[in-house]
Amino acid sequence: MQNNATHEASRKARILVMYYSEGGNTKQMAELVAEGAGSVPDTEVRLKTVDEATAEDMKWCDGVAVGSPTHMGTIAWQMKKWWDTVAQPLWYEIEGKIGCAFSSTGGNAGGGELTCLALQIVLMNYGLLVFGVPDYVAPGQTLHYGATCAGKPRNDGEREACRRLGRRLAEWVQTFVCDRTEHDPRKATYKRLF
């Protein structure tokens, strides 16, 4: 009989990227987050809107990246509704999964970091473990609280911020859930600016 660590290490890491998008900006971010997560070997990614995502998707995943446009400085009601209704019966089943957030805003200083923090608070209420990323992906471009963009990702730094968020999520899942410590981001050989 194999132990749990051996069992977990023998399967792919499972990442759910779930988002709500009105004009397509958050959708573009979600696609880049999913691309980043999928760049880590032995990772399976599901990319779903809040209308597509089910309770089974949430139970299936080891880690989740949630994205919402910023509405009045916080989460769009469609994303909040998903957590209030679809996820509510899962209250104790999803504790311990790893989560992170991303948001598109109408402009610079439009509240994207506030929305990421609000999303993280929702995840924390369900017992998910959330993280920040200390990396700078371009001069002045970081994602300490999650990836944020004013509108759609327009430059290499914004696109890399989205990819880095997904990659980091997959790396933490690989490290802590699948016991593949070779993916620990603290040992990363890719460019990390501080």
Side-chain angles (χ1 to χ4, degrees):
M1 182 174 195
Q2 63 185 164
N3 66 35
N4 193 39
T6 303
H7 171 70
E8 294 299 313
S10 67
R11 68 161 173 83
K12 290 186 175 189
R14 298 180 296 226
I15 303 296
L16 173 63
V17 179
M18 182 176 64
Y19 68 96
Y20 171 71
S21 187
E22 285 182 2
N25 296 333
T26 310
K27 177 184 180 190
Q28 287 182 38
M29 293 180 75
E31 291 167 347
L32 291 164
V33 171
E35 181 183 320
S39 73
V40 178
D42 296 314
T43 301
E44 182 179 351
V45 180
R46 289 183 184 174
L47 175 64
K48 298 205 172 187
T49 68
V50 291
D51 292 332
E52 299 166 335
T54 66
E56 288 304 312
D57 290 315
M58 193 63 214
K59 289 194 289 189
W60 165 85
C61 75
D62 302 306
V64 60
V66 291
S68 171
T70 298
H71 283 201
M72 301 296 186
T74 194
I75 308 166
W77 69 266
Q78 293 89 340
M79 176 61 77
K80 181 69 167 61
K81 180 182 175 190
W82 192 92
W83 289 97
D84 289 345
T85 57
V86 177
Q88 201 283 330
L90 307 175
W91 202 267
Y92 298 106
E93 291 183 64
I94 61 176
E95 180 180 11
K97 293 178 185 288
I98 300 173
C100 60
F102 58 98
S103 181
S104 60
T105 64
N108 291 327
E113 288 180 342
L114 293 172
T115 300
C116 286
L117 289 172
L119 287 164
Q120 289 177 3
I121 289 168
V122 170
L123 298 177
M124 290 167 65
N125 272 270
Y126 279 93
L128 273 72
L129 309 173
V130 299
F131 64 91
V133 180
D135 301 6
Y136 280 77
V137 295
Q141 181 77 44
T142 187
L143 52 154
H144 297 321
Y145 308 103
T148 62
C149 292
K152 65 182 178 181
R154 292 187 173 91
N155 59 50
D156 290 343
E158 291 175 343
R159 287 186 286 274
E160 179 56 25
C162 296
R163 287 187 196 101
R164 183 72 53 94
L165 185 69
R167 179 178 184 148
R168 191 59 55 85
L169 175 59
E171 288 171 336
W172 285 129
V173 166
Q174 290 284 1
T175 301
F176 291 124
V177 177
C178 299
D179 198 30
R180 294 186 185 109
T181 56
E182 67 273 17
H183 294 297
D184 188 325
R186 295 168 292 187
K187 302 175 186 174
T189 57
Y190 53 84
K191 187 175 181 180
R192 297 183 68 195
L193 305 173
F194 296 100

